[in-house]
Amino acid sequence: NKGDGVYTITISGLEHSTNYQWVIEVSDEEDITTKELSFMTEELPFDPFDEGWQYRKKITIDHTNVADDLDYFPVLVSTFDTDIRDKAQVDGDDILFMNNVGVAKKLYHEIEHYDDSSGELVAWVNIPDVSSDEDTIFYMFYGNPICSNQQLPEKVWESNYKAVFHMNEA
């Protein structure tokens, strides 16, 4: 009983990095039309240095090693780094990957292995755009003694993956 036109509904209280689905049903008292819609909210950009991170390292993917452009590609970051060993939390919970410096977006990551005695880090980072034409740059931040775990492994591997086996167990 609303007639023709556009109707706007205000929605509040949405969570960041969350997929939402809803159904719209329209009826003219004879026929009913139903449409399912969905969207994903983005992660809020923030500045890690303003949030307590003290250190960062630049990571570069050499475009000459990339055959084609890739979207949302899990990239392996593997390193032995005494600086990370000496400045990151002992469990690696403060290791964070971002798409830029300053106000930027978090990149989803999973730490497969972190050894605080050697500084060995093996992590998978989901990079939204890996270019075959120019180097892809992202950053690892660490050295926040009070933050909680920054990993979101379920977001590193998109839904088309049926399983992920790191094959590092005996």
Side-chain angles (χ1 to χ4, degrees):
N1 298 328
K2 295 287 185 181
D4 294 336
V6 174
Y7 297 94
T8 302
I9 299 171
T10 302
I11 300 172
S12 62
L14 299 178
E15 302 275 331
H16 296 285
S17 297
T18 303
N19 190 26
Y20 288 93
Q21 299 175 334
W22 73 97
V23 176
I24 297 175
E25 188 174 278
V26 179
S27 170
D28 65 1
E29 296 185 14
E30 289 181 27
D31 297 313
I32 296 175
T33 300
T34 303
K35 178 84 174 181
E36 287 189 33
L37 302 166
S38 68
F39 68 93
M40 175 118 181
T41 55
E42 290 189 0
E43 183 75 27
L44 263 184
F46 78 106
D47 186 335
F49 288 126
D50 287 346
E51 301 296 327
W53 276 264
Q54 300 172 46
Y55 309 100
R56 104 175 144 229
K57 292 193 180 281
K58 181 179 180 180
I59 301 170
T60 303
I61 301 172
D62 182 347
H63 75 281
T64 62
N65 294 322
V66 181
D68 292 307
D69 292 345
L70 302 167
D71 295 328
Y72 299 99
F73 189 77
V75 172
L76 175 65
V77 174
S78 180
T79 186
F80 282 88
D81 191 315
T82 57
D83 194 47
I84 296 169
R85 175 196 70 197
D86 296 341
K87 296 173 180 167
Q89 291 181 14
V90 296
D91 55 6
D93 279 355
D94 62 328
I95 294 172
L96 168 70
F97 295 89
M98 302 285 291
N99 70 339
N100 208 337
V101 297
V103 177
K105 291 183 181 178
K106 288 183 184 180
L107 299 174
Y108 301 122
H109 76 280
E110 173 183 15
I111 294 177
E112 181 179 333
H113 175 74
Y114 176 65
D115 182 342
D116 70 311
S117 63
S118 68
E120 180 184 16
L121 172 67
V122 178
W124 294 91
V125 183
N126 189 304
I127 307 295
D129 299 298
V130 179
S131 175
S132 60
D133 296 323
E134 60 185 57
D135 291 349
T136 301
I137 297 170
F138 61 104
Y139 298 85
M140 177 175 58
F141 291 81
Y142 56 99
N144 183 334
I146 61 170
C147 74
S148 60
N149 188 340
Q150 298 299 303
Q151 297 182 77
L152 278 172
E154 65 277 8
K155 302 251 184 193
V156 174
W157 309 99
E158 54 108 322
S159 62
N160 289 323
Y161 284 89
K162 299 299 180 201
V164 176
F165 300 99
H166 295 302
M167 309 304 277
N168 61 350
E169 297 178 6

